Amino acid sequence: MAATITCVAPTRSQLGEGAVWDVVDQRLWWVDILGGLIHCYDPVTGSNDSYYFGEPVGCIARRDKGGLVVAAKSGFWFFDPATGARQPIADPESHLPESRFNDGGTDAQGRFWAGTMKDMGDAQPVGTFYRLDPDLSVTAWKGGIWTTNGLAFSPDGKRMYFSDSNPRVRTIWSCDYDTQTGTPGDPQLFFDTRAVPGRPDGGTVDAEGCYWQAGIEGWQLYRLSPKGEVIQTVDVPVEKPTKPMFGGKDLDILFFTSLSLGLTAPETQPEAGSLFAITGLGIKGVAQTRFAG
């Protein structure tokens, strides 16, 4: 069956990102970073509910104890969409007012990872990846990154992927991952996206261990083998896809978010910034773990 791409939530978000599928509530959660909005898409009803967080939101994860864990402009938070209640956890970059959190996600043990980036003024390599453990302690891992992105884990949880989207770098790395301690090993080059039109944005993995990259500015998604080889390219109807995530009852729908700002030809992509779904790929994803804290 040929793959079909459908716009399922025509929000025209400024910066759609952070897609994560929750296997418990069977919903696709995602964000509009600049709009400070958290969206929740139900593929059964087709509804897309929106919750205003009050500041830029980089990434989110569902929480075992209910609600969401959020990595936002002012650090880590708990958020209850039903009531709007916010509870601060930690702000590891309170000394960097021009920075905010960007991409992230959970490992198989329920730890929440998220990276930062400079969001105001001239870009600088001041981004850092942080690990939020279930006991709510925060550990900084790797700094010196322009635009933290692409965080994902292999199906067995023993390999971690991340990228730097900045045009100066546009590279994806992988590293061994100690599942007992949540400690990554030394990063190794996984894929240099100068080989394809799109720079690396958000990423996810499928059940076969392949890494999917949203090729921002390239009108494409890329499926990379565990060896870092492009084995499939999917053309999409928007210039700036931002984050792929498998979902649906059987984890066989590939959703992706997108961006509506700074387009080279906005008239040709009226649905840019919206949420899309790809069916008919014949590929399944990996269940995402809820934050254990």
Side-chain angles (χ1 to χ4, degrees), residues 96-262:
L96 297 174
E98 294 186 335
S99 292
R100 65 163 171 81
F101 272 98
N102 194 46
D103 186 67
T106 55
D107 67 10
Q109 290 69 42
R111 307 178 186 96
F112 185 52
W113 280 85
T116 59
M117 61 175 285
K118 190 171 185 289
D119 192 42
M120 301 168 64
D122 295 334
Q124 294 179 14
V126 296
T128 299
F129 278 104
Y130 294 90
R131 188 187 72 233
L132 177 65
D133 284 335
D135 65 1
L136 306 188
S137 61
V138 178
T139 302
W141 173 56
K142 180 177 175 56
I145 301 174
W146 294 84
T147 307
T148 55
N149 236 320
L151 189 79
F153 294 87
S154 60
D156 64 4
K158 295 180 179 180
R159 195 138 195 87
M160 176 175 159
Y161 298 91
F162 69 96
S163 66
D164 189 333
S165 297
N166 189 278
R168 301 170 179 84
V169 186
R170 54 180 308 171
T171 298
I172 306 172
W173 294 271
S174 66
C175 50
D176 293 334
Y177 188 75
D178 187 329
T179 59
Q180 294 299 312
T181 64
T183 305
D186 293 333
Q188 305 294 323
L189 174 65
F190 179 66
F191 185 68
D192 185 336
T193 70
R194 292 174 182 85
V196 293
R199 293 184 289 110
D201 208 301
T204 192
V205 297
D206 61 33
E208 298 174 23
C210 295
Y211 179 88
W212 286 80
Q213 171 210 326
I216 191 167
E217 297 182 347
W219 300 80
Q220 293 175 327
L221 305 179
Y222 308 106
R223 187 189 190 207
L224 305 173
S225 75
K227 295 182 179 180
E229 302 164 336
V230 178
I231 56 176
Q232 187 171 355
T233 299
V234 179
D235 294 325
V236 297
V238 288
E239 177 185 354
K240 296 183 176 183
T242 54
K243 170 78 174 184
M245 174 58 59
F246 283 94
K249 180 172 61 71
D250 298 318
L251 294 176
D252 60 351
I253 301 172
L254 184 59
F255 295 96
F256 67 91
T257 52
S258 60
L259 197 157
S260 67
L261 300 177

Side-chain angles (χ1 to χ4, degrees), residues 33-99:
I33 293 179
L34 299 182
L37 291 172
I38 296 174
H39 297 291
C40 181
Y41 173 70
D42 181 350
V44 175
T45 65
S47 64
N48 186 72
D49 297 325
S50 301
Y51 308 92
Y52 183 58
F53 185 73
E55 63 181 85
V57 178
C59 57
I60 56 177
R62 288 286 271 131
R63 185 186 177 203
D64 267 345
K65 297 178 181 179
L68 304 168
V69 60
V70 177
K73 169 70 176 177
S74 61
F76 292 110
W77 294 78
F78 289 137
F79 178 63
D80 184 349
T83 66
R86 300 182 359 151
Q87 177 185 343
I89 302 170
D91 184 4
E93 295 199 349
S94 58
H95 59 295
L96 297 174
E98 294 186 335
S99 292

